[in-house]
Amino acid sequence: MTEIRLRDVTLADADMLDAWAASPEIHGEFNDFDEPDPDQRASVREALTRGPLRNERNGEMIVERVADGVPVGQVSWHEEHYGPPPKSRAWNIGIALLPEFRGHGWGGPAQRMLADWLFENTDVNRVEASTDVDNLAEQRALEKAGFVREGIQRGAQFRAGAYHDLVTYSRLRADT
């Protein structure tokens, strides 16, 4: 039986998401991208008044425990382009689990669910993810989710005051 599920973000989640965005402990060392922009958080709350946080360019869902509906984190995606044709579009995904829910083996299943959902609900051929070369737990989670390691992007991410190398993973529609 599945221990977690993905669900849409609702307006009732706005305060929780604001608290998560303001907490360095929740972000963890691999998501230290400076202080959240209060105007961006306000626009998220405004967007939630219109419905789920997903559109043709990006989205976000809550990862929750099935047994009691407790939110354990969130997954997100945004589009990447590898050329001008619309069919050259891919989804780049990310995950953030709350500290107390890390290490339970839920990162892989959550990312597998998200990739499956994106393949079922969009026409993209590729879902990708990148993580810090030192984030071994996320690399294992992506591999458990069926992603294939592709290589290193040197100095690709500016985080915590320095440039960091990333490991890139992908799943293709044919891999499902």
Side-chain angles (χ1 to χ4, degrees), residues 62-78:
I62 298 291
V63 181
E64 74 178 13
R65 196 166 45 196
V66 170
D68 55 10
V70 168
V72 302
Q74 66 195 90
V75 290
S76 61
W77 65 95
H78 65 271

Side-chain angles (χ1 to χ4, degrees), residues 60-138:
E60 186 175 321
M61 289 182 167
I62 298 291
V63 181
E64 74 178 13
R65 196 166 45 196
V66 170
D68 55 10
V70 168
V72 302
Q74 66 195 90
V75 290
S76 61
W77 65 95
H78 65 271
E79 67 180 355
E80 293 287 343
H81 291 272
Y82 293 99
K87 292 213 177 266
S88 295
R89 180 177 65 138
W91 293 118
N92 184 290
I93 68 169
I95 187 169
L97 296 177
L98 299 173
E100 63 268 30
F101 298 114
R102 295 176 191 151
H104 292 269
W106 294 338
Q111 290 171 106
R112 178 180 290 281
M113 287 178 200
L114 178 58
D116 290 346
W117 187 89
L118 290 167
F119 285 132
E120 290 169 14
N121 291 282
T122 71
D123 65 353
V124 298
N125 184 57
R126 175 184 172 89
V127 176
E128 62 185 32
S130 297
T131 189
D132 192 280
V133 295
D134 294 327
N135 192 345
L136 300 180
E138 173 60 0

Side-chain angles (χ1 to χ4, degrees), residues 145-160:
F147 284 74
V148 174
R149 183 183 175 117
E150 295 185 327
I152 305 290
Q153 296 172 318
R154 298 180 315 126
Q157 186 177 78
F158 189 80
R159 186 185 79 251

Side-chain angles (χ1 to χ4, degrees), residues 108 111-112 127 140-149 169-172 175-176:
Q111 290 171 106
R112 178 180 290 281
V127 176
R140 283 190 301 273
L142 287 166
E143 289 165 4
K144 288 178 181 177
F147 284 74
V148 174
R149 183 183 175 117
Y169 286 81
S170 72
R171 271 184 62 191
L172 302 181
D175 297 337
T176 58

